[in-house]
Amino acid sequence: MATPSMEDYLERIYKLIDEKGYARVSDIAEGLEVHPSSVTKMIQKLDKDNYLVYEKYRGLILTPKGQKMGKRLVARHDLLEQFLTIIGVSEDTIYKDVEGIEHHLSWDSITCIEALIEYFKKDPKRSEDLLNLKKEMDES
């Protein structure tokens, strides 16, 4: 079972590989705002747990297990961003809130949120009604 910290690293590595085709220690450190030595330690742990294969000075590749988990984590992050957007959370707050809650929700809760997003997408009037209600509550 991956810890929240491991999840952050896997998510970042997956995104870097998806965007650039590779993930370097320096890019991971910059993206997560940690020291390269911390990245190296975590990469070694992820290698030991078979999420990736790391060879010093040669780089890393995600194993099928790591790819599956990385993809799932990125999807979870995107889903939570969509959810917070739909319910009217300000754009300035969304990223910070997602980072704060993503590791504390069960996959069952994530599935329920996914269903709720689909519910709102099927009829955009539902989102409009929700935002109008939120506006009324803010005014009272």
Side-chain angles (χ1 to χ4, degrees):
M1 184 80 176
T3 65
S5 182
M6 290 168 81
E7 288 182 350
D8 284 340
Y9 278 85
L10 283 169
E11 183 179 349
R12 186 74 196 132
I13 291 166
Y14 182 87
K15 284 175 114 172
L16 283 166
I17 290 173
D18 189 49
E19 293 166 7
K20 297 172 119 179
Y22 60 89
R24 295 183 316 204
V25 168
S26 59
D27 295 329
I28 299 164
E30 182 182 320
L32 295 175
E33 298 177 353
V34 296
H35 292 286
S37 60
S38 299
V39 174
T40 301
K41 284 179 192 170
M42 181 58 78
I43 285 174
Q44 290 168 344
K45 184 184 249 183
L46 292 168
D47 185 3
K48 183 177 156 249
D49 290 348
N50 298 313
Y51 287 105
L52 56 81
V53 176
Y54 174 65
E55 293 182 31
K56 198 171 184 177
Y57 307 116
R58 301 203 68 206
L60 59 93
I61 58 167
L62 290 171
T63 63
K65 176 182 175 181
Q67 287 176 335
K68 182 179 178 183
M69 179 64 92
K71 184 176 183 178
R72 188 175 189 200
L73 295 170
V74 168
R76 176 183 70 185
H77 189 102
D78 293 344
L79 185 80
L80 291 171
E81 283 188 0
Q82 287 178 55
F83 173 66
L84 294 179
T85 300
I86 285 172
I87 64 171
V89 174
S90 91
E91 224 172 282
D92 300 348
T93 309
I94 289 175
Y95 182 80
K96 185 176 145 215
D97 283 356
V98 169
E99 288 298 313
I101 65 174
E102 67 184 339
H103 302 295
H104 303 286
L105 293 172
S106 68
W107 287 104
D108 183 45
S109 294
I110 296 296
T111 301
C112 292
I113 290 170
E114 185 174 26
L116 187 61
I117 289 170
E118 288 305 311
Y119 172 80
F120 282 114
K121 283 183 176 179
K122 284 186 178 183
D123 183 355
K125 176 115 175 58
R126 294 171 179 159
S127 293
E128 189 179 313
D129 290 345
L130 176 65
L131 295 177
N132 286 335
L133 178 61
K134 181 181 179 275
K135 186 177 177 182
E136 287 174 23
M137 291 172 68
D138 287 345
E139 292 172 354
S140 58

